[in-house]
């Protein structure tokens, strides 16, 4: 009898836990919030968060200061406690697949919304005390 009860208890705990997101998802959401606040402080207007088109996803869509062009922002988080891959800078972890997805999203935004120019930026958030935020404008994707 303990086997079925343990399975039922595990199912019940997963169903009713306070935050169903994984630790990586919570870290990513926190990094996106910090990046959005940082960009707002620099004069950007944050228009959308987590835009999905098919399988492609953009973290933030912003309007640049002055409203001259739009910016597609990829947010990368890095926690100092991670063992594997911790020596790699957060902005260097954008692989070819993600770069291609950002290109497709940029083309989609220009075509569907009629935006004349969309720049792709990368914002890295390193969770030190206090968090370190760096903005890499115009990554040439």
């Amino acid at each position: 009898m303990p086997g079925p009860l343990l399975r039922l208890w595990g199912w019940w705990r997963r169903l009713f836990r306070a935050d169903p997101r994984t630790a990586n998802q919570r870290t990513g959401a926190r990094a996106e919030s910090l990046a959005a606040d940082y960009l707002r402080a620099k004069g950007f207007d944050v228009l959308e968060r987590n835009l999905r088109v098919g399988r492609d996803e953009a973290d933030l869509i912003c309007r640049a200061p002055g409203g001259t062009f739009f910016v597609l922002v990829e947010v990368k988080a890095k926690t100092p406690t991670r063992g594997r891959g911790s020596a790699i800078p957060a902005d260097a972890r954008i692989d070819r697949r993600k770069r291609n997805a950002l290109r497709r999203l940029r083309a989609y935004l220009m075509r569907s919304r009629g935006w004349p120019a969309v720049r792709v930026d990368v914002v890295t958030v390193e969770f030190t005390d206090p968090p370190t935020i760096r903005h890499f404008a115009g990554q040439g994707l």
Side-chain angles (χ1 to χ4, degrees):
M1 188 65 174
L5 286 177
L6 286 177
R7 281 196 302 271
L8 180 62
W9 175 248
W11 174 81
W12 184 263
R13 269 190 24 224
R14 283 190 303 275
L15 184 64
F16 292 104
R17 67 179 160 198
D19 191 356
R21 299 178 297 173
T22 64
N24 285 344
Q25 289 171 333
R26 286 191 300 271
T27 301
R30 184 172 166 223
E32 288 173 12
S33 294
L34 288 171
D37 293 342
Y38 176 79
L39 291 172
R40 279 189 199 103
K42 287 181 72 173
F44 287 80
D45 293 326
V46 178
L47 304 175
E48 289 183 55
R49 289 182 66 168
N50 300 322
L51 171 71
R52 286 196 158 281
V53 177
R55 290 184 171 189
D56 301 333
E57 189 247 345
D59 295 324
L60 300 171
I61 307 293
C62 301
R63 181 178 296 135
T68 55
F69 57 93
F70 296 90
V71 182
L72 179 69
V73 180
E74 174 66 16
V75 178
K76 284 296 188 182
K78 181 180 176 189
T79 56
T81 58
R82 303 232 188 232
R84 207 174 109 212
S86 63
I88 301 171
D91 58 317
R93 290 182 296 158
I94 299 178
D95 59 357
R96 181 182 42 128
R97 190 176 343 161
K98 187 61 177 183
R99 281 193 299 272
N100 289 336
L102 291 171
R103 286 183 189 117
R104 286 191 298 269
L105 283 168
R106 183 178 64 187
Y108 169 80
L109 290 171
M110 291 171 67
R111 182 179 61 249
S112 69
R113 298 187 183 182
W115 292 349
V118 177
R119 184 177 79 192
V120 178
D121 290 1
V122 176
V123 173
T124 63
V125 178
E126 295 186 28
F127 288 104
T128 56
D129 191 25
T132 305
I133 301 173
R134 297 186 323 180
H135 180 203
F136 300 92
Q139 290 301 300
L141 301 174

